Amino acid sequence: MNYEIAGEVRFFLAAVLLGIAAAMVYDLLRVWRRFHRQTLFTISVQDFIFWFVLGIFGFQLIYYYNAGTLRFFAFGGIFLGACIYVCTLGRFFVKYCLKLLLFLTFPLRKGLNFLQEKSKLIRKKFRKREKHGRKDILASEKQK
């Protein structure tokens, strides 16, 4: 195989790998968003950072392999890599990664929920005491 053609094939395969990696990272963002509720603003910031970083990696890929010359097949390779990932591993990744994350954090989440419930009970008791304490003070002031 000609050296120039081999370089173009490596460039295309690197673009495909970048597409796979980008789709996988975005799926990790999706898992995080399902695990931890986000506001629209934080989702927008995360998406902006994701696309900004992907643009930097894409630029580095094009600069490293092709001296900055844009080639259509590089974008096609990134798109193809993302499609390959979505049609194979991506179909299951979010679902099972989320289940694994929920399973691994189950004891921590249960412990935090328990502490939160106990703190609510303690706060209620203190509020009752404050109310009763104020009534006692008011009653003693009236007697004077």
Side-chain angles (χ1 to χ4, degrees):
M1 188 182 299
N2 188 354
Y3 179 74
E4 290 177 9
I5 294 174
E8 298 293 326
V9 169
R10 279 195 304 266
F11 180 38
F12 180 75
L13 292 177
V16 170
L17 289 175
L18 179 61
I20 291 171
M24 186 177 280
V25 169
Y26 197 78
D27 272 354
L28 287 172
L29 274 174
R30 290 175 55 207
V31 168
W32 175 248
R33 291 173 185 168
R34 289 184 184 180
F35 178 72
H36 182 68
R37 292 184 190 252
Q38 309 275 323
T39 65
L40 183 61
F41 177 75
T42 57
I43 290 173
S44 299
V45 169
Q46 290 169 356
D47 281 344
F48 177 78
I49 292 170
F50 170 79
W51 287 109
F52 184 76
V53 170
L54 180 61
I56 289 172
F57 279 113
F59 176 77
Q60 285 180 338
L61 174 83
I62 291 169
Y63 186 77
Y64 177 76
Y65 279 100
N66 216 21
T69 305
L70 293 176
R71 299 285 176 116
F72 176 73
F73 69 86
F75 297 108
I78 294 170
F79 180 74
L80 178 67
C83 288
I84 289 171
Y85 169 79
V86 168
C87 292
T88 57
L89 182 63
R91 297 175 69 187
F92 311 104
F93 186 80
V94 173
K95 178 180 175 183
Y96 293 111
C97 193
L98 181 63
K99 284 185 179 184
L100 178 67
L101 187 61
L102 290 172
F103 175 75
L104 292 175
T105 60
F106 178 77
L108 179 65
R109 287 183 294 117
K110 284 298 181 185
L112 289 175
N113 286 340
F114 175 77
L115 290 175
Q116 191 176 23
E117 289 174 10
K118 291 298 179 185
S119 69
K120 284 181 184 178
L121 291 174
I122 291 171
R123 278 187 257 145
K124 282 183 181 179
K125 286 183 181 181
F126 278 119
R127 285 184 192 142
K128 286 181 182 178
R129 285 185 183 175
E130 285 180 2
K131 288 180 183 177
H132 292 298
R134 288 181 187 157
K135 289 179 183 176
D136 293 340
I137 292 171
L138 291 174
S140 64
E141 287 178 0
K142 286 183 180 180
Q143 289 176 356
K144 291 181 183 179

